[in-house]
Amino acid sequence: MDMQKNQYNVLFACSELTPWVKTGGLADVSGSLPHALRRAGAEVKIVVPGYRAVLDQIDRPQYVCHLDLPLGPVAVCCTSLAGTEVLLVTHPVFSNRNGNPYMSDDDRAWPDNPYRFALFSQAVSEIGLNRANLDWQPDIVHCNDWQTGLTPALLSLSHQRPATVFTVHNLAYQGNILYNAYKELELPDALFHADGLEFWGQASFIKGGLAYADRVNTVSPGYANEIKTTEFGAGMEGMLNSRGERVSGILNGIDEEEWNPETDPYLKQNYTADSIDLKIENKIALQQRMKLPVDKDIPLLGSISRLAIQKGIDVLIDAIKAMPDERFQLAILGAGETDLQSQLSQLADRYPEKVAVRFGYDESLSRAIEAGSDIFVMPSRYEPCGLNQFYSLRYGTVPLVTRVGGLADTVFDVDSSDTKKDQKNGIVIDAATTEHLVDGIQRALVHYNDKAQWKALQRTGMRTSYSWNRSASEYIALYAKAIGDNLNRMSVTRYANV
Ligand code: ADP
Ligand code: GLC
């Protein structure tokens, strides 16, 4: 574990991974950041649970070893993804189920999720300690979200261990379980205290990452500041403040090859910033696909979202109801809460010429909405980073967002006097309320009618780079700090033991 070298060995642990298994942006980050880290000189192995959906998509994974973990035996296999090695932790709790990583097909969380992700975290810790027959010692174990939160905590029990980084993609999902359930999992008592996993009497998986990782980061500088406040801290603000400068923000990037309107195979018509007039073909195709009246001139709003309180879809529904006479269309694709689904269905029934909704996870339709819409609406109540605003900017679809988290860091309002003209790329509202959103949509509609200005906005978005290059270097710098912290800890404890 040499602090001087740049070529760190990085074990990147995640619970979803594009293109194999995705419920949200975490999968896209896991499927693109590791490749960018490799380009920046790191040697990276990704580790992910061997879900049925993953095993079905890969050709003969290679057997690596068995691990006899406290929670049971798992097999580790390996394969590769775009040149990056991927380790699969296989066990029937992952491989014998349909549905997504966290829920069954009828949208119910698997009751044994604490067991599944404690098992996964134990496996990641063993691989991190070079006990998986790989002859490979990571310098850094980089964990992501609550599903891997126990790993930094478990590793903290070993004196000689790799450095750990924990990235918060969403603080609201915490993996909290009753103390009895924690005892049943026979997880170490030594970790259950106020400065450790304990959270209001329960055990919190995410707190394992927040409390024990050498460095903690979130996916935008804006959200890094927000989560230290009561409003956005989800009860973890005290712990986060106590970690001081060890908590930082690094803005997500995107895979610019994967999300490129010039080459995207899902699009009816490919286009670039210079041939932006061709984008209209995608609008017509989207109107046809969503069974909305075909009309080149009517502003078409799009939204692709997990249907969750975070995303402000309820606010969008209320805003649409508050503007019955305004001329626009809305195409929404969403998966998630059934109550929001039924509210959206009712909205589409009430305004069939104006609103079209589709439910479920649909990659092809999501690309069609990104390319075919004029305006992309994200009225999030909070947003750690958000990826759809990047995809929209890249596709010349002007984003309309709330001024929170990563959205505030990436979208700059067309009417703002603080922003330089050549940086203006969208519409920003102050908060996720009906009044603000109605105002934001009305402003967007006015600007849409000024064709020259609208094209300038679109081109600014399309010509800006959102690649991982800069952020990958920031992660490498963060790894160096984490390694430094870990070396200090080891030398201090060694000294204390003399
Ligand atoms: P979050 O991770 O909070 O859901 P992000 O904006 O970071 O939000 O990422 C969401 C990702 O998931 C985007 O790539 C988006 O296009 C995709 N997505 C969300 N819902 C759907 C859906 N129903 N069908 C297809 N893709 C979806
Ligand atoms: C989470 C956040 C989202 C972020 C994504 C990837 O799901 O809700 O804002 O973009 O993770 O980091």
Side-chain angles (χ1 to χ4, degrees), residues 94-111:
F94 299 121
S95 58
N96 278 3
R97 299 183 189 185
N98 296 322
N100 84 26
Y102 324 119
M103 308 220 242
S104 57
D105 280 334
D106 57 1
D107 276 345
R108 267 185 285 197
W110 301 114

Side-chain angles (χ1 to χ4, degrees), residues 25-26 29 169-170 219 252 306 310-311 383-387:
L26 171 61
V29 172
H169 297 261
N170 196 330
V219 287
N252 282 338
R306 284 188 294 112
Q310 170 190 353
K311 302 291 179 179
E383 197 61 76
C385 180
L387 296 178

Side-chain angles (χ1 to χ4, degrees), residues 211-390:
Y212 290 100
D214 293 307
R215 292 277 163 162
V216 176
N217 82 297
T218 70
V219 287
S220 69
Y223 191 58
N225 290 331
E226 288 172 352
I227 57 175
K228 292 184 177 166
T229 66
T230 333
E231 188 182 355
F232 293 99
M236 298 293 173
E237 59 276 10
M239 168 54 70
L240 287 162
N241 279 300
S242 77
R243 301 289 326 259
E245 58 157 27
R246 291 181 187 221
V247 179
S248 62
I250 300 179
L251 194 65
N252 282 338
I254 62 168
D255 182 336
E256 291 190 326
E257 273 175 36
E258 185 54 39
W259 291 90
N260 183 356
E262 191 175 1
T263 52
D264 190 331
Y266 289 107
L267 305 198
K268 168 91 177 159
Q269 172 68 58
N270 292 112
Y271 57 98
T272 65
D274 293 325
S275 61
I276 200 165
D277 290 339
L278 296 174
K279 181 170 161 33
I280 191 79
E281 297 303 325
N282 296 299
K283 177 170 176 176
I284 294 168
L286 179 61
Q287 287 169 328
Q288 286 167 340
R289 187 164 173 177
M290 299 294 279
K291 304 207 165 33
L292 287 165
V294 172
D295 180 339
K296 287 183 182 174
D297 296 322
I298 193 166
L300 174 51
L301 277 60
S303 174
I304 306 158
S305 183
R306 284 188 294 112
L307 299 177
I309 189 78
Q310 170 190 353
K311 302 291 179 179
I313 298 297
D314 52 324
V315 179
L316 179 57
I317 293 170
D318 288 344
I320 302 301
K321 287 187 195 156
M323 293 186 283
D325 301 324
E326 208 76 62
R327 197 174 158 273
F328 63 84
Q329 295 174 335
L330 172 66
I332 303 189
L333 167 64
E337 287 170 23
T338 42
D339 178 46
L340 284 170
Q341 286 192 31
S342 59
Q343 288 185 49
L344 283 169
S345 298
Q346 282 165 20
L347 191 73
D349 289 345
R350 186 156 152 193
Y351 303 110
E353 304 276 287
K354 193 171 186 175
V355 179
V357 299
R358 296 288 180 276
F359 300 120
Y361 187 87
D362 186 338
E363 186 70 28
S364 143
L365 183 56
S366 84
R367 306 289 182 130
I369 293 178
E370 281 295 0
S373 310
D374 297 303
I375 299 156
F376 194 94
V377 201
M378 295 180 80
S380 305
R381 289 192 163 81
Y382 71 94
E383 197 61 76
C385 180
L387 296 178
N388 280 116
Q389 81 277 22
F390 289 125

